[in-house]
Every structure is written in structure tokens, then in C-alpha cells.
Amino acid sequence: MPIKRLERRGVLMFRWYHVPTIPCRHGVHEYRVGVGTTSRKGERPLGDSDEERGFHRAEHLQQIPEFTRTHQLVYPYRSDAESGHAQLDASLWNGRLISHGVEAQQLLTFGFVFAQNSTSRALYEEGASLLRPTA
């Protein structure tokens, strides 16, 4: 089913939706489908919630549909990003972010990335110096 757009809704908390176009003999229809969030009991006015049905929405819907240009641009870097996030989590005390507030969290993340890049550069230069011929 073709996805017309990815839509973000909300003010303080956001939810993401796919808006697919559904062909029909009466004309094309648009339908909004929640993506990446599993509804809890009492959140859906009609029918059972995903939690009550045992349905995990994120396992069945991708926020950025496959076969789109955006997916082709983003997906190859996913494993690198997940690896970096895992290393950041492992470096934190008790797996918890030790800063309070957006600016402090950005500074901590910048410091982590700066340290990772510095370590990578030092290892690269050390390896390069081992490969240089000595006279």
C-alpha cells in the first residue's frame, strides 16, 4: 500500500502516523495508522488496545517504509547508530544518563562522541606508524 506521507502529531508528546492512500472504486481514501507505538488499555475508543490483543505494532510497521528514498539513505547507518548508542549506554553509570536538562545531555553526548573519535584517530595513527618503513 503506498504511503502518502509520514505525519507527526502532538504538542508535548508526539506520535507518528502513516497516511496511506487506499484505492477504491468510489475514489482514493486516506487513512491514518499509528506507527511505532503500542496502545495501552483505555487509549483506543473503538475496540481493544494493542496491549490487550497482544499486538506489538513496532514489530509490524516501519516508521520509514522500505523501498522509499529516505529508507535507502537512513537504513545503512542504522547498525552504526545502534552500536554507538550501546557504547554510550555501557559507558554510563548504571546505564543511566548522569546529566539533567537538555544542554547538559547534549554536552555529555558531545563529550562521549569526541572521546570516541579521539580514540579512533589515535588507534588509526598508531597503526599507520607501524606500517611506515623505517630507515
Side-chain angles (χ1 to χ4, degrees):
M1 181 179 326
I3 304 296
K4 182 176 180 181
R5 68 182 176 273
L6 178 65
E7 186 176 272
R8 184 179 86 169
R9 302 182 105 199
V11 177
L12 296 176
M13 295 186 63
F14 298 100
R15 291 205 177 198
W16 292 92
Y17 297 88
H18 281 167
V19 181
T21 53
I22 303 169
C24 173
R25 63 187 172 113
H26 299 290
V28 176
H29 301 277
E30 289 185 2
Y31 183 74
R32 187 173 290 109
V33 181
V35 180
T37 57
T38 301
S39 62
R40 307 240 185 276
K41 186 176 182 179
E43 285 185 341
R44 295 194 179 243
L46 302 173
D48 293 333
S49 68
D50 295 338
E51 188 176 67
E52 292 169 310
R53 292 185 296 151
F55 178 73
H56 191 257
R57 188 171 298 276
E59 290 178 3
H60 301 282
L61 293 173
Q62 291 182 330
Q63 186 170 8
I64 301 172
E66 201 174 358
F67 309 118
T68 62
R69 182 73 179 138
T70 304
H71 187 273
Q72 292 170 359
L73 293 171
V74 171
Y75 193 76
Y77 302 103
R78 181 177 175 197
S79 59
D80 293 338
E82 289 178 1
S83 172
H85 290 142
Q87 288 177 351
L88 174 61
D89 287 344
S91 73
L92 301 173
W93 179 79
N94 204 16
R96 304 271 182 179
L97 200 55
I98 56 173
S99 54
H100 185 70
V102 173
E103 291 85 7
Q105 291 174 10
Q106 288 175 334
L107 183 61
L108 181 129
T109 304
F110 175 75
F112 173 78
V113 170
F114 187 74
Q116 290 292 107
N117 286 345
S118 298
T119 303
S120 296
R121 182 177 179 174
L123 290 172
Y124 173 79
E125 289 175 353
E126 180 181 302
S129 68
L130 293 174
L131 297 174
R132 287 190 202 118
T134 57

